[in-house]
Amino acid sequence: MSADASAADKTVTVLLYSDDRQVRENLKLALGRRVAADLPEVVIVETATHAAVDHAIRQGGIDLAILDGEAAPAGGMGISKQFKEEIADCPPILLLVIRKDDAWLSAWSLADAVERYPIDPVTFPGTVAELLRRRLQTTGV
């Protein structure tokens, strides 16, 4: 069976966290149904509150979390740091920042990657694909 055929049989779950509905919509459009031909179809879980993202992550089954660093009242940077310190098998986290100068905070937040928002339609899917590939390799899926 080819890699493409096995990828077609599975899905990956991507959590989107932002208090801004338009940000979540833009992310869903950028992700599409599949971020790369060699990866499974994407299932999206949208969250708009800290409680909802906390529940989804702790419940398990999330392959990648994309967190809005500008979300309020709980920003993605603090949530990322919390999860990376508290959850043993925390999924990779992609942090969205608006200001270029905020990118250094991804190191503090322990995020696996950072992208600027508004997202770049070329780099964003590539970053997502790379994080998902790493996650699938470590989980053995």
Side-chain angles (χ1 to χ4, degrees):
M1 182 185 302
S2 73
D4 288 342
S6 63
D9 297 337
K10 301 174 186 158
T11 60
V12 289
T13 303
V14 176
L15 179 135
L16 304 179
Y17 167 66
S18 179
D19 63 329
D20 185 328
R21 180 178 305 200
Q22 190 60 52
V23 170
R24 293 191 313 270
E25 275 303 312
N26 291 342
L27 293 172
K28 286 192 317 188
L29 287 172
L31 291 171
R33 292 180 57 150
R34 193 181 295 261
V35 293
D38 65 318
L39 289 171
E41 192 170 309
V42 173
V43 173
I44 295 174
V45 174
E46 287 186 65
T47 57
T49 66
H50 180 245
V53 72
D54 186 72
H55 176 75
I57 294 286
R58 292 180 191 282
Q59 183 177 337
I62 302 296
D63 296 301
L64 172 66
I66 301 174
L67 307 179
D68 180 355
E70 303 296 320
M77 292 178 211
I79 293 173
S80 174
K81 179 136 175 103
Q82 173 191 353
F83 291 155
K84 288 296 188 173
E85 290 179 344
E86 293 179 1
I87 299 173
D89 188 27
C90 185
I93 294 177
L94 173 57
L95 185 62
L96 299 176
V97 297
I98 290 177
R99 294 173 301 278
K100 182 180 175 185
D101 294 342
D102 286 344
W104 72 271
L105 284 169
S106 66
W108 171 84
S109 71
L110 305 174
D112 297 278
V114 64
E115 284 279 332
R116 294 220 16 229
Y117 188 86
I119 56 174
D120 179 315
V122 175
T123 63
F124 179 74
T127 300
V128 169
E130 182 55 36
L131 291 171
L132 287 171
R133 285 183 191 107
R134 280 193 248 153
R135 177 68 169 184
L136 294 175
Q137 286 175 343
T138 61
T139 59
V141 175

